[in-house]
Amino acid sequence: MRIPMAAFLPTASGRSGRPLIGVTASVHGSRIAWWANHLALRRAGARAVRITARSPFPIDRLDGLVVGGGDDIDATLYGETARPHIRIDPERDRLELNALDCAARRDLPVLGICRGSQMINVHRGGSLHTDIHEIYLEAPRLRTVLPRKRIRIEPDSGLYRILGIAECRVNALHHQAVDRLGEGLRVVARETAGVVQGIEAAAHPFLIGVQWHPEYLVTDDRQQALFRTLVAAAAGESTVIAAATA
């Protein structure tokens, strides 16, 4: 069962000058990831609140949402068999599915990071490769916060318009990735071996998922533009939203 909607009771908007962005995380998740996201959002002009299954926050008070990285998603949510050696967090899965339900009803801008990109796909009925190295045999086995993996970005995508580049290097902290696309989504970035690295929904004001971790690429202004564009969309700057989805 999903977390009752009482956890997301409607209240007044979080807008008071700076947009309020929620960042989902595991109860036992890395505080480094939270502070990296918090810093990126603060630099972009937003306030941030950490949301976990044990510390929920009313989604109706948010102006935007970051679905963060972390443990694998329960494979039974997309029709696969759960693997016993994979660490999952069912409470967080339920939290994020409900948060994405609420965000969809309100047309909140949403950025999915690593696991968060995968969760956007699962929320829309898609599936995942439970281990990319079983499918993409040539994919490098990288696990690093440094930009060591080369990706290509579709030039007619919102992601391209935000980053302003067709190829770049990103970091890699994952072993799963998008398989079957969810409803209304398109692939907008892949790595050289073919693994999906970016997805987005053209019919949504701002719904983008990236398989890498831009919050750790603090000196890369192009990557930080993801947070700036999210915050601008959360602030209701329609010109920025149009530029990201046209």
Side-chain angles (χ1 to χ4, degrees):
M1 279 182 74
R2 297 188 183 182
I3 293 174
M5 288 307 297
F8 308 105
L9 289 175
T11 123
S13 168
R15 297 188 183 183
S16 60
R18 293 186 297 155
L20 180 61
I21 310 295
V23 181
T24 63
S26 172
V27 171
H28 306 292
S30 170
R31 287 283 177 172
I32 296 176
W34 153 244
W35 284 112
N37 277 297
H38 180 270
L39 175 62
L41 290 165
R42 182 175 179 180
R43 290 172 63 190
R47 296 172 295 145
V49 57
R50 185 171 183 262
I51 303 174
T52 72
R54 295 183 188 173
S55 300
F57 189 88
I59 304 304
D60 281 323
R61 287 181 55 190
L62 298 176
D63 300 304
L65 180 67
V66 172
V67 186
D71 294 335
D72 293 340
I73 297 166
D74 186 353
T76 62
L77 292 175
Y78 50 91
E80 296 292 335
T81 302
R83 300 191 178 193
H85 63 285
I86 298 297
R87 188 173 69 176
I88 60 175
D89 187 346
E91 290 185 339
R92 181 180 177 184
D93 291 344
R94 291 191 289 271
L95 170 83
E96 291 177 341
L97 288 170
N98 276 295
L100 286 168
D101 280 345
C102 190
R105 287 195 299 272
R106 297 187 57 217
D107 277 338
L108 288 182
V110 177
L111 173 63
I113 294 176
C114 196
R115 166 201 160 94
S117 180
Q118 298 165 17
M119 182 57 82
I120 288 172
N121 192 56
V122 170
H123 176 256
R124 288 192 163 221
S127 66
L128 307 176
H129 292 301
T130 54
D131 188 340
I132 58 173
H133 300 293
E134 294 178 356
I135 307 298
Y136 299 97
L137 302 181
E138 296 181 359
R141 292 179 177 270
L142 291 177
R143 187 169 183 83
T144 174
V145 297
L146 300 176
R148 294 288 184 262
K149 183 173 287 189
R150 182 174 293 278
I151 67 167
R152 295 190 179 97
I153 302 165
E154 294 294 330
D156 63 341
S157 65
L159 182 61
Y160 175 86
R161 281 183 284 275
I162 293 170
L163 298 182
I165 194 169
E167 290 191 11
C168 64
R169 290 188 180 275
V170 298
N171 48 29
L173 294 169
H174 69 104
H175 72 100
Q176 297 190 326
V178 168
D179 180 9
R180 185 185 70 254
L181 276 176
E183 183 179 355
L185 298 175
R186 62 178 292 222
V187 175
V188 293
R190 290 183 185 271
E191 64 182 78
T192 306
V195 179
V196 173
Q197 286 285 328
I199 59 174
E200 64 184 47
H204 191 281
F206 187 105
L207 181 62
I208 294 177
V210 295
Q211 188 56 67
W212 65 94
H213 286 262
E215 72 273 26
Y216 292 142
L217 302 174
V218 294
T219 62
D220 189 329
D221 189 65
R222 294 183 186 274
Q223 296 295 331
Q224 297 308 298
L226 280 164
F227 295 100
R228 291 196 299 271
T229 311
L230 171 72
V231 171
E237 297 181 13
S238 57
T239 55
V240 175
I241 297 171
T245 60

